[in-house]
Amino acid sequence: MLWFFRSLPQDKNFSFLLGNLQNIPKDPESRIAYGRYKMDHVNSKFNIFWQGPIEPVVVAYHPDVVRTVLKSSAPKARGFGRIYELLLPWIGEGLITSNGSVWQRSRRLITPAFHFDMLKPYVQVYNKAADKLLRKMEPFADSGSEFDFYPLITLCTLEVILKCALSYDVDIQSKDKDPYAQSTRHLTEKFAKRARTIWYWPTFIFKRTADGRKFFECCDYAHSVAEEIIEKRRSQLEKDGKPQSAHLDFIDILLMARDEDGQAMTTTEIRNEVDTFMFAGHDTTASGTMWFLYCLAKHPEYQTKIQEEVDALLEGRDSDHIQWSDLSELNVLSLCLKETLRLYPPVPFIQRVLKEETVMEGHVIPPGTIVTIAIMHLHTNATVWEDQDDFRPERFSWEEAKGRDSFSYVPFSAGPRNCIGQHFATDEIKVLISRILRKYTVELVPGRPAPIRYAQGTLQSENGMWLQLKHRSSR
Ligand code: HEM
C-alpha cells in the first residue's frame, strides 16, 4: 500500500527516516509558501505529504476533492498527536471532537441554540463589547501612535463569548485579571503550542513540562467553574420551571434541550459544549476581525465605501449601536468580509479520516487515510480563482459568484460538520467592524513590515497586527 501512495503526486524529496517532515521550512510564511508551491507546481488538486516514513497524508485543495470528503461522513482524525485528540482534556467529546452517534445527538440538541431568534439579542452584547473596545482604542487615535490590535480584539471576543455562553459578566477588556478569562487564554495558547511541538504530544511528557502543568491546571479550573454555573442554573430551572432571565444564554438552551427519548444533557455534556464554544468561538472571530481590519487598512478605497455605507445606515439616529435589522443592509461590508475570509481564513486547515474508498482524480484512496483540507490553499488555487491573490470583494457579488462551485470557498467548512457558529461569528465581526469604522479610519504603519502569517490552529500574525488610527474628522 505504501508503494501505491508513493506513486501519487508528491514532493519527491523523501527521507526514509522522516518522510517529508524535514522539508517543512522553519519560518511560518515559508511553510505556507511550501504548501502553495506543491499546489502550483506538483499537482493542482491534492498531493501526498509523508508525516514520517510510513504515514501518508492526503493534502487536498481543489473543490473536486474537498467536496467528496466534506460531503461524506468522514470522521475527525483522532489518535496520537492529532489536533482533535490534543483538545480532549479541555473540551472533551464536544461538537468539534466527537464522531458518529455522539456527535449526531449533540448536533441535533445544540442546533436550536444557533437559531436566528436566539442570535438576535446577542447583537447588543457585541455592541456593548464594541463600546469598550472603542474606548480602549481612543488614546491611540488621540496620539496617532501605532498599536497592536490583536491583544485588544482577543479580549473583546473573549468577553463576548463568556457573556453569550455562560452569562459570565466580567469587564475583562478593562481589567484582564479575571481568572476564568485568563485560564481560557492559557488553554488556547498552551494547546496551540502543544500542537506545533512534536515532543509535547505524548501526554506523560507534556504533563511534566511547565506548559503541560499549566494546561491541565487550567482545564481543572475551567471545568470546575463551568460545572458550578451549570449546576446552579439547573437547580434554579428545576425550582422555577423557567430560566432566570428573559435573555437566554447557551447554558439555558442546553439545559432545556431534550432528545427524542426525552433525555436531557448531563452536566459533563453541557460543560464540554460550553468549553467547545470557548475554544471555537473567540480566537477564530478575533483572527477574522484582525485580518479584516488589515485588509481595509491596505485597501482604503473599500474602507471608505464601508464608512459611507455605515454612515448612511445610521443617519439621523441617536446611537451608533448596530441593530439586528442593520446587519442585512451592510452589503459592501459583507463582500469585503467574504474576501478577507478567502485570503485569510481563520481556520486554515482541518482534518478527516476516510471511512470508505474515495476516488480522487481517478485514484482510489483507501479507507483509514488521513486527509488534510488546506482551506487556505483551496482559497488561492489558481485553477479555481482568477487573480487569486488580489483583494477584490466584487468577486462575491451575485453576478460574479453565480455558478461558482460552493466547495471552492469554505472558511466555515461545509457539509454536515460545517461551523455551527457561522452566523454568530459573522454578525459579531460585522458589528465590531462597523463600529470601529464609524469612529475611526484605520491605516497601516509606514515602515512597519507586513504581518507574518502563522497558520497554527487559527491564522495568526507572528509579528502582531500593528495599525494606526485617525479620528474621522467629517463626523
Ligand atoms: C470567523 C469565525 C469562525 C470560523 C472561520 C470558523 C470556522 C470553522 C470551521 C472551519 C469548522 C470545521 C472544523 C473542523 O472540521 O474541524 C468549524 C466548526 C465549528 N465551529 Fe466554527 N468558526 C468560527 C466561529 C465560531 C464560533 C463563534 C463558534 C461558537 C460560538 C463556533 C463553533 C464551532 C463548532 C461547535 C464547530 C464544530 C461543528 C460540528 O462539527 O458539528 N465557530 N468552525
Side-chain angles (χ1 to χ4, degrees):
M1 190 48 78
L2 293 183
W3 290 113
F4 162 71
F5 282 105
R6 293 286 284 141
S7 71
L8 299 177
Q10 60 197 270
D11 181 350
K12 297 289 179 216
N13 188 359
F14 176 88
S15 138
F16 284 95
L17 194 63
L18 295 169
N20 296 133
L21 283 173
Q22 86 286 358
N23 306 347
I24 302 180
K26 289 254 173 323
D27 77 285
E29 276 289 349
S30 306
R31 274 204 292 278
I32 294 172
Y34 173 66
R36 173 75 180 259
Y37 175 85
K38 286 191 286 179
M39 174 171 76
D40 290 344
H41 300 285
V42 176
N43 186 35
S44 66
K45 295 200 173 177
F46 76 93
N47 73 73
I48 301 298
F49 179 83
W50 289 86
Q51 217 165 249
I54 53 164
E55 187 172 52
V57 174
V58 172
V59 185
Y61 35 68
H62 189 283
D64 290 349
V65 182
V66 169
R67 186 188 314 109
T68 6
V69 181
L70 289 185
K71 275 178 103 170
S72 75
S73 54
K76 299 284 176 85
R78 292 270 294 266
F80 179 69
R82 304 270 174 252
I83 230 141
Y84 306 105
E85 192 80 18
L86 302 180
L87 280 168
L88 286 181
W90 176 16
I91 68 176
E93 295 276 350
L95 264 193
I96 288 202
T97 48
S98 58
N99 284 318
S101 56
V102 174
W103 169 78
Q104 250 166 8
R105 174 175 181 268
S106 308
R107 180 91 187 195
R108 247 198 325 269
L109 287 172
I110 294 164
T111 295
F114 288 88
H115 188 275
F116 290 115
D117 287 340
M118 298 298 164
L119 299 183
K120 254 187 211 175
Y122 294 150
V123 173
Q124 288 324 317
V125 179
Y126 312 150
N127 272 298
K128 280 188 188 148
D131 289 338
K132 293 184 206 163
L133 177 66
L134 292 177
R135 274 201 295 279
K136 283 183 79 178
M137 291 168 83
E138 183 133 22
F140 302 111
D142 291 344
S143 65
S145 50
E146 58 187 289
F147 70 106
D148 183 1
F149 182 63
Y150 180 67
L152 268 60
I153 188 64
T154 0
L155 282 186
C156 175
T157 57
L158 181 56
E159 189 169 295
V160 166
I161 199 72
L162 286 169
K163 177 80 186 142
C164 297
L166 295 159
S167 295
Y168 196 89
D169 215 350
V170 279
D171 185 6
I172 57 165
Q173 290 198 73
S174 333
K175 299 196 189 78
D176 190 23
K177 283 281 180 287
D178 176 74
Y180 187 75
Q182 277 183 334
S183 93
T184 309
R185 289 302 307 145
H186 285 308
L187 285 166
T188 314
E189 279 162 24
K190 304 300 177 203
F191 156 73
K193 190 163 176 193
R194 187 178 184 194
R196 63 173 187 266
T197 313
I198 293 176
W199 57 92
Y200 273 11
W201 291 357
T203 304
F204 73 94
I205 296 182
F206 187 52
K207 275 191 162 164
R208 282 168 179 72
T209 65
D211 286 325
R213 280 194 297 274
K214 187 83 200 167
F215 179 82
F216 285 104
E217 181 192 306
C218 290
C219 280
D220 290 344
Y221 178 72
H223 292 166
S224 67
V225 172
E227 277 168 16
E228 200 184 313
I229 298 178
I230 296 165
E231 280 310 327
K232 221 187 260 169
R233 278 310 174 80
R234 193 192 291 283
S235 47
Q236 189 255 319
L237 188 66
E238 276 162 12
K239 200 167 100 222
D240 300 351
K242 62 176 178 48
Q244 199 169 21
S245 94
H247 158 104
L248 299 186
D249 63 19
F250 286 130
I251 289 197
D252 293 323
I253 296 165
L254 301 184
L255 275 170
M256 291 189 293
R258 295 289 179 275
D259 64 15
E260 49 278 23
D261 304 325
Q263 287 293 315
M265 292 171 85
T266 64
T267 297
T268 309
E269 283 171 338
I270 297 180
R271 189 198 79 194
N272 286 343
E273 299 307 347
V274 165
D275 288 335
T276 297
F277 299 150
M278 290 298 147
F279 163 71
H282 93 278
D283 235 18
T284 46
T285 322
S287 162
T289 313
M290 164 181 92
W291 289 108
F292 195 3
L293 219 48
Y294 170 68
C295 288
L296 296 175
K298 211 170 150 194
H299 301 279
E301 65 283 15
Y302 288 104
Q303 180 168 183
T304 309
K305 282 187 193 175
I306 295 178
Q307 284 173 329
E308 286 167 1
E309 184 173 69
V310 175
D311 290 351
L313 199 64
L314 297 179
E315 170 123 38
R317 295 201 198 157
D318 301 338
S319 153
D320 277 359
H321 278 206
I322 301 292
Q323 304 302 319
W324 169 260
S325 56
D326 296 333
L327 294 174
S328 54
E329 305 293 317
L330 294 164
N331 299 319
V332 184
L333 190 147
S334 295
L335 297 184
C336 293
L337 173 56
K338 284 186 180 157
E339 183 67 335
T340 301
L341 298 181
R342 182 181 72 83
L343 289 171
Y344 300 96
V347 180
F349 301 98
I350 57 178
Q351 261 191 355
R352 295 285 186 278
V353 197
L354 295 183
K355 228 168 117 181
E356 48 208 36
E357 284 188 342
T358 305
V359 180
M360 295 183 185
E361 253 193 328
H363 305 283
V364 182
I365 312 290
T369 306
I370 306 272
V371 181
T372 294
I373 295 171
I375 297 178
M376 70 181 312
H377 296 312
L378 167 74
H379 285 182
T380 48
N381 189 326
T383 65
V384 177
W385 298 93
E386 208 174 294
D387 303 324
Q388 72 278 15
D389 296 318
D390 293 354
F391 184 81
R392 211 176 56 75
E394 299 75 25
R395 69 173 90 235
F396 286 102
S397 65
W398 185 80
E399 299 79 34
E400 284 198 46
K402 69 173 185 277
R404 184 179 295 144
D405 189 325
S406 59
F407 285 87
S408 53
Y409 178 72
V410 293
F412 295 100
S413 186
R417 299 216 58 169
N418 68 351
C419 176
I420 204 168
Q422 167 168 355
H423 295 291
F424 181 103
T426 46
D427 292 351
E428 181 181 351
I429 298 176
K430 284 180 184 178
V431 170
L432 296 177
I433 292 288
S434 320
R435 296 289 311 279
I436 293 171
L437 296 190
R438 170 79 167 158
K439 203 157 178 215
Y440 306 119
T441 295
V442 182
E443 294 175 350
L444 299 179
V445 180
R448 266 255 173 212
I452 297 169
R453 290 172 301 164
Y454 193 126
Q456 44 180 30
T458 54
L459 187 66
Q460 300 296 330
S461 163
E462 198 186 45
N463 50 346
M465 186 53 70
W466 291 83
L467 298 166
Q468 279 179 345
L469 296 175
K470 273 205 182 114
H471 283 288
R472 289 187 58 205
S473 48
S474 57
R475 298 190 47 255

